[in-house]
Structures are given as structure tokens and as C-alpha cells.
């Protein structure tokens, strides 16, 4: 068997066993055997790049390469669904459709999966692109990440149309969600608030290897294209499952309203036993002809509707409202309640969002409140029992001054949120910025965790980043550690006795947080506020959001110390901290810039700015006009950069950090993007491209040591082909046996 035959054989076998495992839950070989085959295929493909195939199962393993997402316009807009909450509204929906069509309808009833939507394009049976919903008109190209999802077929089987789209939901099953959060608790990383955020955050990761490790699932529920196999949506899904799609097992074709109501009643209870999160039912007119006749409103189809399950609700008495300040200075009101049982957990605190929400509830201390938990870990107050209100305490009003530093609060223009403007003097804000600074994607200060920062801060050792680099071994060793900083310990002291640790009983992550952590509440409420800003700045990755307290909640330390003797850092720990600080002086400029924590400057934007301006001095002198010409930099980011550098305290900080030896300019290596990856290769460019212009490809070839030639000859090594490559050229290439590669393959070659 030659390499090509072996590659083909392994690809076929791996695809077969993948389906047996993931689609049919009937594995025939062990995981070990599967991994061995995968490894063999990876090696063969590496040695024989000419056999690259976009459907190869090796792509499911992901890659370490960081990749910014390109935006792709949806061929058909991705619409949303109208929501209903009552049976009457469902009856109205069916009657409305039938009256408008003047004939009866069949309704396909499906579960409403609570993940993140995805649109998959298949051409000639191969997955070519996977795009997120985005704004409905265009979304992010997350193909590399989606290829790692085992329930997404890379190559279809059977008699499929040559060109069509499948839409569905990418989900993180509950089991995997819990596992991930547990892992993050141990690593002291922020927790995901719910599986939906975890799924969408994962899909937006720039490293597909991490995506592959997270075991996402996909359920497909909508086929689009000009030549669909059947007029029945239900049948189309059934047929799609024979091509290899996971279309969910729970769909039912209903002939009348009673059957729809039965379906809803059944799943309202049974959904709690499903492996994935659901938040309702989707009802769709089954006939595609009827769907077309009913048409669309600006936002949603007239032929489909969502019925949302009622969130579980409990009643409890409001005892106190406290106000928390987050790392971005935003102040969040939190309701402290009598403990009450809700969906299997004890709830003591609930989100109150902002001043407008408090006023709308007309909230008084002592009120009986309704608390709901709708798919989130954090419950919220949704109403007050005003009918039975008697002997209640004072009306709840929003505070005027920061509860941490006393500074008068300011309101974010156009938003309901208040923030403390005392950025450089307000403890939780300073500490939050330190947490960002030390994080993995920023300075990656291994050995320093949030509690170490707490200890340094509480003992007056640090008030800005530069102070960290002035710490001496003695200072660290003499710094008393707060109770919680002891739990952060990385190495258990070998002397035993007072240094031995005890662990809490294992509980579910969600429950533990609910019962003991204010921080989780704090950060999840940020989610509401910051999700808006992260949408406006798409260049921020989900991991950026994690760092900025966007999508996630904080973990709670799980270790407790038995002894109450005051503790200090051991020599070993202090040395580790100093070592990490010294090592961080090698962190490249782009990450240092990210670590500084300029508002809206996430990882990607930091990269763009550092490459555009090369060093901090040029960046600090950049005008608004200079800044907005940089890719991914909009008005808000430009203003934020200018504001940052107009603050003398920030300038002084940078000077001190420079003196300490941190990188504030791109290294030589970064400055020259030249490589020899295409050395000696003659490459012809043909057709039109979507990711870069022809000129850009030309300069990429040259920058990487290759030669861009105009016409195909026996000397041509590759043809970089976009769309519409002429048939004569294709024929010539085939005759001369020259590999035709597309944009993706070409870009991969440069990685
Ligand atoms: S159909 C044109 N079916 O709900 C309608 N959507 O607000 C296309 N969703 O963005 C959607 N389960 O992410 C459809 N069985 C299902 C669904 C479903 C979940 C999500 C989807 C969509 C949102 C609609």
C-alpha cells in the first residue's frame, strides 16, 4: 500500500469509527486504537502535504495556531424566532397560519436548544465553511473550530445536494460544562456562567486545539438550499441524518394542537433529564411550500415560533441590598435574601441589575420577592408580591457614592449602569487590573494568583504594576498571607504539621458558588453589561471577555487551612514569584500592551496596535486619525487609547515598567515578518479570493521566500486558486500534475 492508499484507508476508517462512537453510541474499537490510527494519519499527512484534504479527520484534532476570524456574509440571513409563553399564543399561531394559507398545516415540534447557533455550508458533500450568527447578516468564520466537533460531518454520505446549508446549535453538554468549570476552579480561572456562554466562548477561541479538547456537540435543525430533498422539513431532517448529521432524536410531527400541547407538557418535565440545555420548544410549519407562502417579517419567519419554558421560580424575603464594585468600576446591586430552595440549589443572593431595574420593581426591604433561575447559575429577582406587602422597610434606592472608596458614582452615558471613576484609587478596580495583568494571556505570571495579589495589596506592597517588579525576596517572605491566599498555595510544604491542607467535600461547582460566593454574582452581572460592549467590539475574543469579567463568574477557593497561625510565603514560593516576574520581562510587546488593560483593548486589538505602531512611544503619540486606520480599531477603541495616554499616571507607570525591563517595542523577529517557508517555490495565483486580495497573496508569497509567477508551466509548484479559476487553467494544471490549493491550504502552509 503506498502513502496515498494508506491515507485514504485511514481517513475512511477514522470517519467510520467516529460516527459509530458519536452518532450511534456503538464503538467497535478502543480509544487507544482510534488515537493510534489518528497519529499515523497525522504523520502521513505531514510527510505528504500534497494529499491535504479539507475533510480529513485529522482536522478534528485542532491546531495550536492562533487565528483571527474573518467575517463572512450569510447567504440567507440568520433570523431569530418570535417568543410565546402561553398555550393561547400557540393556538393563535396555528390558527393564524391556517387562516393565511387557507388550508391545514402540520407542525414540526422540536426542542429549543440553548447553545449558540451555527450555519454550515456543504459543497459536493464537504464541509466548506462554518459561520456564527453574528449580527444575522454576517458572522465569524469559525470553520477550523467547528471541524473539531465530532458530531459535525466533514464528508457526507449518500445522495446529498451539491450545495446547501445546515443550521443548528453548538452545545456544551451539561457533563462537559461541569467538568470544564471544575477544571477552571482548580486552575483558579473564571467560571462559565452557563453552557450557552461556554459554548459560544469556546467557538470563538482562537486556538482550535483547546476547542477540540472541550467536546462540543452540534444538533442541526434547519436545511436551506435551492434543491432540498423533500417538501417536508421533518423529512429533510430525517434524510439529513442519513447523510451523517445529528438532527436530534426528539423531533415530532404534530397533526393538531393537542399533539403540540402534549409534546410541550412532556418536555417541560423531561428536559431536565437531557444531556444538553434547552430553554423551550420550537414549532415550525412543516411544508416548505407553506413556509414560503407565509414568508418572513423583518426579524423572524412567520412560519415558526418559539415557546419558552417558564423558569423555575421561588419566593423569598429581601433582607438587604448590597453594592459591589467590579474591576471595570461598574457598581452592581445585589439582593440578599432569606435562603430558599430553587432548582436543587439554595439561593441567598440574586441579581438586581441596575437602578432602573430596582425602580421598576419598586423594591422595599422586607418585600417578598419572586426569584427565577432561567438557565443561568445566577438567579434574578423578577417581581415583588406587592399585594401582600405590609410592614415593609425603606424603599431601596441606588447609592450615590462608591461603597469601596466613597467617590461619587457616575452614570455611563446612554446606559443604566453606574461606575466609580476612581480607577487608580479604588481597591477592587486596582485588584481587578492586577488579576488581568498576571493572567496567562497577558504577563503569564505563573505562581502569582489573585490571592497573592490580595496579600501584596493589603500589605501595601503594590499599588501599580511596576511595584510588582520592585518586590524583593525578603519583602515577599515577610508579607503576611490572608486566609484566602493560603488556599492559593501551589506546593504543599513538605514539613507537614501546620502546613497540611484539608479539602472541602466535593459539591457541584454551581451549588458551591451559589452558597458561598459573591464574586460569582458580581461577574455574572457584568456579563449583562459587558456583553453589550463585547458585541460592539467583535475583535475581543471570548477569552478576552473572561479576563475582563465579561462572560464568566469567579471561582471560589476550595481549600481550607486547619491552623489559624498567621502564614507567610515560603522561600520556595517567593523564589517562584521572583522567577516568574523576571521571566515576564521576555513577554513580547503585544502582550504587554494587552496586559496594561486599556479599556476595549483585547488581545487582538493589542496585537494590531503593536504591529501598526511598533513601540509604545509611537502608540502614545498616535492621533485619533492614525488610530482608526488600524484594522479592528474603531472610534471607541481609538478614544480609549488616547484617553489612556493622556493620563500622566499611566505615562509614569510605563516609564517605570520600561526601567524594569519589560518589552515596549516589537522585537527584531516580530518586525521582520520574512520567512523561508516558501523558499524555491513558484506559485501562480488564479481566480478571486475572499480572505485576502490577490496583491496581498502576492506579497505573502514573496515575504515568505516564494516566487509569484504569471503563467502555469512545468516549473510551477502550486496554483493558488480562488473562485472562478478558468477551465483552461484547470486543464493545464491537471495535465502538468500541479497541485491546486485554495486560500485555506495556502494560509496553512504559512503557519
Ligand atoms: S429554527 C428561522 N430550531 O433559537 C428560524 N432555532 O430565536 C431558524 N434554536 O437563533 C431557527 N433550537 O439559535 C430553530 N430547534 C430549533 C432551535 C433553534 C434552538 C435557537 C437558534 C435561533 C434561536 C431563535
Amino acid at each position: 500500500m503506498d502513502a496515498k492508499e494508506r491515507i485514504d484507508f485511514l481517513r475512511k476508517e477514522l470517519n467510520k469509527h467516529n460516527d459509530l462512537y458519536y452518532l450511534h453510541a456503538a464503538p467497535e474499537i478502543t480509544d487507544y486504537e482510534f488515537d493510534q490510527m489518528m497519529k499515523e494519519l497525522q504523520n502521513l499527512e505531514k510527510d505528504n502535504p500534497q494529499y491535504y484534504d479539507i475533510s480529513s479527520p485529522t482536522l478534528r484534532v485542532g491546531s495550536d495556531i492562533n487565528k483571527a476570524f474573518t467575517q463572512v456574509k450569510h447567504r440567507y440571513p440568520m433570523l431569530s424566532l418570535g417568543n410565546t409563553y402561553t398555550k393561547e399564543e400557540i393556538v393563535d399561531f396555528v390558527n393564524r397560519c391556517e387562516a393565511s394559507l387557507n388550508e391545514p398545516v402540520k407542525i414540526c415540534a422540536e426542542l429549543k436548544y440553548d447553545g449558540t447557533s451555527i450555519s454550515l455550508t456543504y459543497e459536493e458533500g464537504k464541509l466548506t465553511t462554518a459561520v456564527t450568527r453574528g449580527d444575522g447578516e454576517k458572522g465569524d468564520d469559525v470553520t477550523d473550530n467547528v471541524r473539531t466537533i465530532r458530531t459535525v460531518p466533514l464528508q457526507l454520505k449518500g445522495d446529498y445536494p451539491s450545495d446547501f446549508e445546515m443550521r443548528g446549535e453548538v452545545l456544551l453538554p451539561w457533563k462537559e460544562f461541569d467538568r470544564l468549570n471544575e477544571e477552571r476552579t482548580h486552575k483558579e480561572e473564571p467560571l462559565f456562567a452557563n453552557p450557552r456562554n461556554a459554548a459560544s466562548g469556546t467557538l470563538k477561541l482562537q486556538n482550535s486545539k483547546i476547542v477540540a479538547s472541550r467536546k462540543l456537540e452540534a444538533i442541526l435543525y434547519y436545511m436551506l438550499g435551492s434543491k432540498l430533498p423533500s417538501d417536508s422539513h421533518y423529512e429533510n431532517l430525517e434524510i439529513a441524518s442519513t447523510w451523517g448529521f445529528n438532527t436530534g432524536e426528539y423531533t415530532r410531527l404534530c397533526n393538531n394542537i393537542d399533539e403540540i400541547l402534549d409534546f410541550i407538557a412532556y418536555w417541560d418535565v423531561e428536559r431536565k433529564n437531557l444531556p444538553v440545555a434547552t430553554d423551550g420548544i420550537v414549532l415550525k410549519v412543516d411544508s416548505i411550500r407553506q413556509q414560503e407562502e407565509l414568508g418572513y417579517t423583518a426579524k423572524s419567519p412567520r412560519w415558526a415560533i418559539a415557546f419558552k419554558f417558564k423558569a423555575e421560580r421561588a419566593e423569598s424575603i429581601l433582607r438587604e441590598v448590597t453594592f459591589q464594585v467590579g474591576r471595570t468600576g461598574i457598581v452592581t446591586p445585589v439582593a440578599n435574601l432569606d435562603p430558599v430552595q430553587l432548582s436543587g440549589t439554595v439561593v441567598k443572593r440574586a441579581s438586581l441589575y441596575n437602578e432602573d431595574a430596582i425602580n421598576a420593581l419598586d423594591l422595599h426591604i422586607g418585600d417578598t420577592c419572586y426569584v427565577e433561575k432561567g438557565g443561568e447559575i445566577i438567579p434574578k429577582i423578577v417581581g415583588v408580591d406587592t399585594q401582600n406587602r405590609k410592614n415593609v422597610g425603606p424603599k431601596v434606592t441606588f447609592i450615590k457614592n462608591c461603597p469601596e472608596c466613597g467617590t461619587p458614582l457616575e452614570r455611563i452615558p446612554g446606559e443604566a449602569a453606574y461606575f466609580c471613576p476612581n480607577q487608580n484609587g479604588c481597591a477592587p478596580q486596582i485588584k481587578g487590573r492586577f488579576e488581568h495583568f498576571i493572567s496567562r494571556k497577558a504577563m503569564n505570571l505563573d505562581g502569582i494568583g489573585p490571592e497573592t495579589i490580595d496579600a501584596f495589596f493589603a500589605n501595601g506592597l503594590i499599588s501599580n504594576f511596576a511595584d510588582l517588579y520592585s518586590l524583593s525576596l525578603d519583602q515577599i517572605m515577610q508579607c503576611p498571607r490572608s486566609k484566602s491566599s493560603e488556599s492559593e498555595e501551589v506546593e504543599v510544604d513538605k514539613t507537614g504539621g501546620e502546613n497540611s491542607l484539608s479539602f472541602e467535600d466535593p459539591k457541584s461547582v454551581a451549588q458551591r458558588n451559589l452558597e458561598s460566593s459573591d464574586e460569582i454574582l458580581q461577574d455574572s452581572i457584568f456579563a449583562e453589561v459587558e456583553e453589550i460592549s463585547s458585541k460592539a467590539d467583535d475583535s475581543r475574543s471570548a477569552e478576552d471577555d473572561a479576563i475582563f469579567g465579561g462572560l464568566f463568574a469567579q471561582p471560589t477557593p476550595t481549600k481550607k487551612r486547619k491552623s489559624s497561625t498567621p502564614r507567610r510565603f515560603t522561600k520556595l514560593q517567593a523564589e517562584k514569584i521572583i522567577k516568574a516576574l523576571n521571566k515576564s520581562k521576555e513577554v513580547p510587546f503585544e502582550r504587554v500592551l494587552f496586559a496594561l488593560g486599556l479599556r476595549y483593548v483585547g488581545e487582538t486589538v493589542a496585537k494590531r496596535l503593536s504591529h501598526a505602531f511598533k513601540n509604545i512611544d509611537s502608540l502614545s503619540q498616535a492621533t485619533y486619525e492614525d488610530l482608526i486606520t488600524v484594522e479592528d480599531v474603531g472610534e471607541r477603541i481609538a478614544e480609549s487609547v488616547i484617553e489612556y495616554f493622556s493620563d500622566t499616571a499611566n505615562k509614569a507607570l510605563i516609564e517605570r515598567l520600561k526601567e524594569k525591563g519589560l518589552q515596549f517595542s516589537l522585537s527584531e523577529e516580530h518586525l521582520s515578518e520574512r520567512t523561508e517557508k516558501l523558499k524555491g517555490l513558484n506559485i501562480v495565483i488564479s481566480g478571486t479570493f475572499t480572505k485576502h486580495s490577490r496583491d496581498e497573496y502576492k506579497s505573502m508569497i514573496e515575504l515568505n521566500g516564494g516566487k509569484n509567477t504569471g503563467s502555469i508551466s512545468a516549473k510551477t509548484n502550486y496554483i493558488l486558486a480562488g473562485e472562478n479559476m478558468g477551465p483552461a487553467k484547470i486543464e493545464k494544471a491537471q495535465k502538468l500534475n500541479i497541485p491546486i490549493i485554495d486560500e485555506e491550504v495556502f494560509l496553512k502552509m504559512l503557519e
Side-chain angles (χ1 to χ4, degrees):
M1 211 184 271
D2 67 9
K4 177 76 173 71
E5 281 168 346
R6 184 70 187 158
I7 286 176
D8 286 345
F9 169 79
L10 288 169
R11 283 177 181 167
K12 225 166 145 186
E13 278 295 290
L14 283 163
N15 282 335
K16 183 180 97 184
H17 291 294
N18 184 74
D19 287 1
L20 282 169
Y21 187 94
Y22 288 99
L23 291 176
H24 307 291
E28 285 177 1
I29 58 170
T30 63
D31 288 357
Y32 177 77
E33 286 167 316
F34 188 90
D35 290 345
Q36 289 304 104
M37 273 203 266
M38 186 67 93
K39 268 190 200 134
E40 186 188 345
L41 180 58
Q42 275 174 322
N43 287 336
L44 281 169
E45 287 183 352
K46 210 162 127 203
D47 295 342
N48 299 279
Q50 69 276 27
Y51 302 133
Y52 178 88
D53 185 327
I54 54 165
S55 304
S56 173
T58 50
L59 296 174
R60 293 206 187 276
V61 184
S63 116
D64 268 331
I65 310 295
N66 272 359
K67 195 174 161 188
F69 300 112
T70 30
Q71 292 241 312
V72 177
K73 194 171 178 324
H74 292 296
R75 198 184 305 178
Y76 313 92
M78 282 184 87
L79 302 173
S80 58
L81 294 172
N83 284 331
T84 58
Y85 295 90
T86 64
K87 290 175 184 163
E88 290 71 34
E89 286 172 295
I90 290 173
V91 176
D92 279 355
F93 165 70
V94 176
N95 288 343
R96 206 168 48 235
C97 290
E98 292 191 335
S100 168
L101 293 164
N102 212 6
E103 62 181 343
V105 290
K106 279 188 184 169
I107 298 288
C108 183
E110 300 168 13
L111 288 175
K112 187 169 186 301
Y113 301 101
D114 198 10
T116 182
S117 40
I118 192 79
S119 182
L120 311 175
T121 302
Y122 284 84
E123 286 166 30
E124 306 305 337
K126 287 184 195 302
L127 171 69
T128 53
T129 38
V131 184
T132 62
R133 181 173 187 278
D135 62 4
E137 293 291 328
K138 52 185 173 2
D140 282 327
D141 181 338
V142 288
T143 316
D144 286 349
N145 286 348
V146 168
R147 284 209 173 100
T148 70
I149 304 175
R150 304 289 174 143
T151 38
V152 170
L154 303 179
Q155 170 67 59
L156 304 181
K157 298 171 285 195
D159 192 14
Y160 41 78
S162 61
D163 186 2
F164 72 104
E165 276 184 44
M166 274 307 270
R167 289 189 178 166
E169 210 77 357
V170 170
L171 300 148
L172 195 73
W174 285 112
K175 206 168 137 199
E176 186 61 12
F177 171 72
D178 286 342
R179 187 196 64 74
L180 196 60
N181 266 353
E182 235 155 291
E183 189 182 288
R184 291 171 85 90
T185 306
H186 288 306
K187 289 201 223 151
E188 295 194 354
E189 286 176 354
L191 303 189
F192 288 108
N194 55 44
R196 182 186 349 109
N197 287 354
S200 65
T202 303
L203 212 51
K204 294 280 198 80
L205 286 174
Q206 305 213 347
N207 179 325
S208 57
K209 221 169 198 158
I210 307 179
V211 181
S213 75
R214 290 203 185 157
K215 303 197 170 63
L216 291 167
E217 295 248 343
I219 299 183
L220 288 312
Y221 46 62
Y222 188 22
M223 191 191 293
L224 290 112
S226 53
K227 285 193 202 104
L228 302 186
S230 163
D231 177 58
S232 157
H233 162 74
Y234 180 82
E235 275 178 28
N236 281 336
L237 292 186
E238 287 210 313
I239 295 167
S241 79
T242 68
W243 300 337
F245 290 106
N246 177 19
T247 50
E249 309 147 49
Y250 317 111
T251 300
R252 176 171 171 193
L253 196 53
C254 301
N255 293 299
N256 53 50
I257 287 181
D258 283 345
E259 286 179 13
I260 298 174
L261 298 181
D262 280 351
F263 185 86
I264 292 177
Y266 178 80
W267 284 111
D268 198 3
V269 180
E270 272 308 304
R271 72 189 181 103
K272 288 167 199 131
N273 301 321
L274 287 172
V276 291
T278 55
D279 62 342
I281 298 286
V282 179
L283 302 172
K284 298 173 184 168
V285 169
D286 187 56
S287 154
I288 312 256
R289 173 188 57 79
Q290 289 181 335
Q291 288 182 2
E292 277 160 13
E293 213 169 302
L294 287 163
Y296 299 82
T297 68
K299 282 198 205 134
S300 50
R302 289 203 186 83
W303 45 265
I305 202 157
F307 172 84
K308 296 281 272 240
F309 292 128
K310 267 215 176 68
E312 286 189 62
R313 184 182 268 212
E315 281 179 27
S316 180
I317 311 276
L318 177 70
R319 294 297 170 197
E320 193 191 5
V321 174
T322 46
F323 294 85
Q324 295 184 340
V325 185
R327 60 190 90 180
T328 53
I330 289 170
V331 178
T332 310
V334 179
N336 293 267
L337 305 158
D338 280 351
V340 61
Q341 195 73 33
L342 179 62
S343 316
T345 53
V346 178
V347 173
K348 287 192 215 161
R349 294 182 194 86
S351 138
L352 278 170
Y353 297 105
N354 54 42
E355 185 180 37
D356 292 353
I358 293 178
N359 290 341
L361 288 166
D362 183 28
L363 206 58
H364 290 67
I365 300 299
D367 265 338
T368 301
C369 303
Y370 303 120
V371 193
E372 271 188 10
K373 224 170 87 187
E376 312 283 325
I377 293 179
I378 304 305
K380 54 180 182 242
I381 304 244
V382 292
V384 173
D385 183 2
T386 45
Q387 303 268 298
N388 298 315
R389 177 185 274 166
K390 43 184 178 311
N391 302 327
V392 286
K395 186 170 158 52
V396 176
T397 51
F398 209 91
I399 47 169
K400 299 270 177 279
N401 291 77
C402 175
E404 300 281 343
C405 70
T407 306
L409 300 179
E410 291 177 16
R411 198 162 179 160
I412 299 179
E415 285 179 31
Y418 280 93
F419 72 99
C420 166
N422 183 16
Q423 278 181 39
N424 296 322
C426 181
Q429 297 190 56
I430 301 171
K431 283 199 272 183
R433 283 201 300 276
F434 269 109
E435 280 172 30
H436 169 65
F437 187 79
I438 61 175
S439 64
R440 191 173 45 84
K441 291 198 162 185
M443 301 307 284
N444 192 19
L445 289 167
D446 208 11
I448 307 183
E451 285 81 17
T452 303
I453 292 295
D454 264 4
F456 291 166
F457 188 76
N459 291 287
L461 291 180
I462 55 169
S463 65
N464 68 42
F465 306 145
D467 296 337
L468 276 173
Y469 293 88
S470 302
L471 291 171
S472 69
L473 200 69
D474 274 355
Q475 274 178 315
I476 298 174
M477 283 167 66
Q478 268 153 36
C479 175
R481 301 176 68 182
S482 63
K483 238 186 172 171
S484 56
S485 78
E486 291 160 14
S487 69
E488 196 185 45
E489 185 167 82
V490 264
E491 281 149 322
V492 178
D493 194 311
K494 310 277 187 322
T495 58
E498 68 154 347
N499 288 340
S500 62
L501 297 170
S502 73
F503 290 80
E504 270 183 1
D505 288 343
K507 280 185 202 167
S508 92
V509 173
Q511 176 149 359
R512 185 172 56 240
N513 281 319
L514 265 176
E515 289 177 357
S516 57
S517 175
D518 279 339
E519 282 167 309
I520 184 172
L521 193 48
Q522 173 71 56
D523 272 27
S524 296
I525 298 164
F526 277 163
E528 311 292 326
V529 185
E530 298 240 345
E531 238 169 11
I532 302 164
S533 44
S534 79
K535 264 177 206 148
D537 176 9
D538 250 5
S539 60
R540 276 172 54 176
S541 73
E543 293 284 78
D544 296 345
D545 283 330
I547 288 156
F548 285 112
L551 299 172
F552 308 102
Q554 284 289 317
T556 316
T558 53
K559 296 176 194 170
K560 272 189 194 152
R561 176 163 295 282
K562 275 180 190 160
S563 161
S564 60
T565 325
R567 291 251 306 121
R568 296 185 197 278
F569 292 91
T570 61
K571 188 159 184 231
L572 207 70
Q573 288 164 338
E575 280 170 352
K576 192 170 177 190
I577 290 170
I578 299 278
K579 200 170 152 206
L581 285 163
N582 282 333
K583 186 149 185 274
S584 77
K585 293 177 187 170
E586 290 162 22
V587 166
F589 173 43
E590 54 187 49
R591 269 173 52 202
V592 176
L593 181 60
F594 172 57
L596 291 178
L598 278 70
R599 230 175 186 205
Y600 311 128
V601 178
E603 219 191 334
T604 314
V605 172
K607 213 175 263 176
R608 300 256 191 266
L609 289 172
S610 58
H611 284 253
F613 294 97
K614 316 283 190 243
N615 59 54
I616 197 100
D617 295 333
S618 319
L619 177 62
S620 70
Q621 284 155 21
T623 62
Y624 177 85
E625 284 70 28
D626 295 336
L627 289 161
I628 49 167
T629 54
V630 177
E631 200 182 344
D632 287 327
V633 174
E635 230 171 82
R636 242 170 33 137
I637 299 174
E639 277 165 9
S640 158
V641 173
I642 290 177
E643 196 187 312
Y644 183 87
F645 289 107
S646 65
D647 188 331
T648 48
N650 291 333
K651 280 196 188 144
L653 169 69
I654 289 167
E655 285 313 311
R656 275 189 69 201
L657 289 171
K658 267 189 195 168
E659 281 165 24
K660 299 287 174 199
L662 271 66
Q663 303 292 321
F664 280 102
S665 55
L666 285 184
S667 63
E668 280 302 311
E669 183 191 326
H670 268 85
L671 276 172
S672 88
E673 285 172 351
R674 290 190 172 277
T675 77
E676 301 212 320
K677 287 182 180 156
L678 305 177
K679 198 177 171 188
L681 296 179
N682 289 313
I683 301 176
V684 172
I685 305 177
S686 177
T688 54
F689 299 88
T690 52
K691 297 198 167 158
H692 296 275
S693 66
R694 279 175 77 104
D695 279 347
E696 281 170 338
Y697 280 120
K698 184 170 185 257
S699 63
M700 274 186 230
I701 293 171
E702 284 157 3
L703 265 172
N704 290 284
K707 205 168 158 197
N708 172 223
T709 41
S711 58
I712 302 171
S713 73
K715 282 192 188 153
T716 308
N717 298 91
Y718 287 103
I719 296 163
L720 168 56
E723 269 170 43
N724 310 323
M725 175 174 165
K729 275 194 178 156
I730 296 179
E731 204 180 308
K732 190 162 183 194
Q734 280 167 347
K735 230 187 214 159
L736 294 168
N737 224 355
I738 299 168
I740 302 177
I741 55 172
D742 64 11
E743 285 175 279
E744 283 194 23
V745 179
F746 175 75
L747 294 170
K748 274 227 157 67
M749 286 164 76
L750 296 187
E751 289 166 1

